[in-house]
Amino acid sequence: MIDGPSSAVLGLSGMSVARDGTGALVYLRTDAGAAHVFVSLLRDGAFQPPQRIDTGLGAASSQPVVATTSGGVTQIAFVNGGTLYTVGSANLLDPLSAPSPLAGGASDPAISMSTAGKAYLAFTQTGAGRHDVRTAALISGSWTLAPPVLDVNPADDAGAGTGRPAVVTAGDGTAIVAWGENGHIEVRRVLGTSPSPTVLQADPTNYGGYPEVSADLPVVGAGGDSSYATVAFHETLTVGASQQSRVLVNRLHASRFDGVSEADGQSTPGPEGAVDPALGITEYGYGLIVASGDADHNLFATAVNGNDQPGGTGQINSLPQASDPHAVVGVAGTVSTLVAWQQDTGAVAPEIRIRYAPDGIDLDDEQVVSTPDLGPTAAAQGLAAGGDVSGDAAVAWVQGSGDQTRIVAAQLFQAPRGFAPPTAFTYAQTPQPQLAWSAAPELWGPVNYIVKLDGNVLGGTQATTFVPPAPLLQGRHVWQVSATNLAGLTVLDRPSKVFIDSVAPKITARVLGRVHPLGTIVGLALATSDAPPLLPASDGSGVKTLTLKWGDRGRGSSLVLRPSPRTRRLSHRYARRGRYRITVIAVDRAGNRSVVTRTLTVTLRAKPRRTKHRHHSARRATRHSVRPATHPSARRTTRPIR
């Protein structure tokens, strides 16, 4: 509910939603005995309380229009006392400015802003031919009038009544303006305050062999390239002794039109005609054109393919129509579009329905977005649609009558998506690890995340990290995050695994002897284990690397070994005497590190002392070693005995 219920609510004038989900809605409401302009800003997925923006102006205001782009950039124009005023804000933090007069004798403003913030106004101003079409460009945050009028002939009555101007700002910053003049639809490009010297006529002199009476109600759309544009309009043809209304479309291609085609699902001659052209074109030149029958009021949509190329036409409404649907087209995202209309069967109160096209062309099933509790909808007093780059969409309309008149908005949310843990598996050295995931790119309001571990809910947060409130058991765990937006749409992300290992590896190292003579081989008994205390080995991540440093600079002084829980014996020969420190380093897969050291001393080999006792023993050994030559042991002697 934007405003109401109140008889002071007069009508909805327009709505704009930027790519980042910000936006604004403008409408008229009686205040202090006169009609004045109110705006409701769209912030964080919610329409804010309305505020009057034409303060200080006593006369009645009319015809407000609005355009927005990302960052809260907002521009509004309206007519008060015959003067065109502008109000704007450059970002989310700045309030809307006070009204600033732009041009006198003005009416029928149209406004458009590109995603890059280039904005144009087109409007009608009293002039030499009673009415002229003028433009203004937003330059460095201020509106600047283009000096020349756009009319083909300044003496013509241009842009008046149903010939009111329409404008679109292409992504490259060029504006395309269409208006009615002398019963024709004229189109001209404008760059800044400089109109193109070329003015092109969009309507034909005849269609299908039937002469044109006049053309009016132009609408124009374009994508990122101003070389292409879609111009649709209402055409009146002479068919025998009568006239028929049609909605036609012509594609602007560089400096020429490709040729008109139908955009209304009718035929000439035919049982009925078509009225009320409307369109929406995405930044890639895709979109939809809608028109309704002037007798059965059925709603038709024509697809617009890449670079504004008209395509096929099909009926939108599934139920009979008893009155004009007042349909509008909204752009939601870089390619998505939607159609909103008033469905009136004549049997029940009118309601607002939409059909959404995720790919910009193929429409989903109908959805009813209004509620009958608020009374019959009144789309003739205003209906608008738009959306952001994520495909979220908003529809606003007038509902009820008298003192029950309201400005109402409905929002179509896309489910959160695009969030995930950085990896599918990770190790953690703490029993309370920080679980993290990327943010769901939700533009309308915060996202609530629920974290589950091993099937049990741990808790919720609006941040993208979560620390378990209690320590987790050692070993492998599966965790998963679900994201829920303001509309209650929930998406469950893919599961991820975390392995808790907060225990450092255990190293068993024993030097076989602490003092060794130089040149001898030093032995080391070594074993490793990563099993947590009183738990199976599978609850440990396992030793990943094992490094042994003998402590000297000799060959093989540092070794990278294969970890093993079994005791293995290693050996090393030291080339110099001294005191050495043997170091063993074990690192498990979680990154826990253990270091043990052992010391040993290498000394010179002790020389045997010659003593009488030793010589006596030697002589005795020599004497006892003498054998007769015939003794069998003599044959095994390797050298002579002396």
Side-chain angles (χ1 to χ4, degrees), residues 166-223:
V167 63
V168 65
T169 306
D172 58 14
T174 300
I176 299 122
V177 184
W179 69 94
E181 182 176 346
N182 281 334
H184 297 293
I185 303 300
E186 307 294 346
V187 177
R188 197 169 186 177
R189 292 185 177 90
V190 180
L191 181 59
T193 57
S194 302
S196 167
T198 304
V199 183
L200 301 171
Q201 182 177 316
D203 57 307
T205 56
N206 71 83
Y207 180 69
Y210 297 93
E212 175 190 56
V213 177
S214 64
D216 59 3
L217 299 177
V219 290
V220 59

Side-chain angles (χ1 to χ4, degrees), residues 93 121 133 176 199 206 277 281 298 310 463 490 531 541 566 569 588 622:
L93 301 178
L121 272 167
V133 177
I176 299 122
V199 183
N206 71 83
I281 305 297
N298 284 326
T490 300
S541 62
R566 296 183 179 181
R569 295 181 182 274
D588 63 21
T622 303

Side-chain angles (χ1 to χ4, degrees), residues 173-529:
T174 300
I176 299 122
V177 184
W179 69 94
E181 182 176 346
N182 281 334
H184 297 293
I185 303 300
E186 307 294 346
V187 177
R188 197 169 186 177
R189 292 185 177 90
V190 180
L191 181 59
T193 57
S194 302
S196 167
T198 304
V199 183
L200 301 171
Q201 182 177 316
D203 57 307
T205 56
N206 71 83
Y207 180 69
Y210 297 93
E212 175 190 56
V213 177
S214 64
D216 59 3
L217 299 177
V219 290
V220 59
D225 186 354
S226 61
S227 299
Y228 305 95
T230 299
V231 181
F233 49 90
H234 170 245
E235 178 78 38
T236 302
L237 302 172
T238 298
V239 182
S242 61
Q243 294 182 346
Q244 183 185 24
S245 292
R246 295 296 306 272
V247 171
L248 304 179
V249 58
N250 211 340
R251 180 202 193 204
L252 179 63
H253 184 181
S255 59
R256 62 180 177 83
F257 276 103
D258 288 346
V260 294
S261 58
E262 64 179 41
D264 54 12
Q266 308 298 330
S267 60
T268 299
E272 68 173 322
V275 291
D276 295 340
L279 58 73
I281 305 297
T282 70
E283 58 190 87
Y284 292 107
Y286 290 82
L288 294 170
I289 308 165
V290 295
S292 58
D294 59 5
D296 63 15
H297 306 294
N298 284 326
L299 180 62
F300 289 85
T302 298
V304 178
N305 300 311
N307 290 331
D308 299 81
Q309 182 66 50
T313 302
Q315 185 171 327
I316 296 295
N317 58 300
S318 62
L319 299 177
Q321 279 286 124
S323 63
D324 192 333
H326 302 286
V328 295
V329 181
V331 172
T334 55
V335 297
S336 302
T337 56
L338 71 152
V339 179
W341 75 96
Q342 180 170 273
Q343 179 65 54
D344 180 14
T345 63
V348 296
E351 61 189 10
I352 302 300
R353 294 193 172 203
I354 70 166
R355 291 186 67 181
Y356 185 86
D359 63 357
I361 297 175
D362 299 315
L363 293 161
D364 289 343
D365 295 337
E366 297 178 28
Q367 299 183 56
V368 179
V369 296
S370 60
T371 172
D373 297 341
L374 303 180
T377 57
Q381 293 175 253
L383 176 62
D388 62 27
V389 73
S390 294
D392 303 313
V395 182
W397 64 90
V398 178
Q399 190 162 355
S401 60
D403 60 2
Q404 295 299 306
T405 305
R406 298 170 170 87
I407 302 292
V408 183
Q411 290 169 259
L412 175 71
F413 283 74
Q414 299 297 325
R417 57 189 183 274
F419 67 102
T423 60
F425 179 86
T426 186
Y427 289 102
Q429 295 176 310
T430 170
Q432 291 178 278
Q434 185 181 75
L435 307 177
W437 55 92
S438 59
E442 178 62 63
L443 298 176
W444 280 357
V447 174
N448 292 313
Y449 300 99
I450 300 297
V451 181
K452 288 185 177 181
L453 184 93
D454 299 331
N456 299 313
V457 175
L458 286 183
T461 180
Q462 290 185 357
T464 56
T465 59
F466 184 84
V467 176
L472 305 181
L473 297 176
Q474 299 288 304
R476 188 183 303 266
H477 299 274
V478 178
W479 64 281
Q480 201 166 12
V481 177
S482 64
T484 304
N485 62 15
L486 289 179
L489 296 173
T490 300
V491 173
L492 188 64
D493 189 37
R494 61 176 173 81
S496 183
K497 297 180 179 64
V498 60
F499 196 106
I500 306 298
D501 185 353
S502 60
V503 180
K506 181 181 179 181
I507 302 173
T508 302
R510 183 169 58 90
V511 178
L512 305 179
R514 293 300 180 94
V515 178
H516 294 267
L518 185 66
T520 61
I521 295 175
V522 177
L524 176 70
L526 180 63
T528 58
S529 172

Side-chain angles (χ1 to χ4, degrees), residues 23-86:
L25 175 152
V26 292
Y27 64 99
L28 292 173
R29 177 187 172 96
T30 300
D31 187 42
H36 290 286
V37 181
F38 285 76
V39 62
S40 172
L41 298 175
L42 179 59
R43 298 291 185 266
D44 294 325
F47 285 96
Q48 304 302 298
Q51 55 181 300
R52 180 179 160 182
I53 61 169
D54 60 350
T55 54
L57 303 178
S61 295
S62 63
Q63 300 178 325
V65 291
V66 60
T68 62
T69 195
S70 297
V73 179
T74 304
Q75 290 295 327
I76 302 169
F78 60 90
V79 176
N80 182 280
T83 298
L84 181 63
Y85 286 85
T86 61

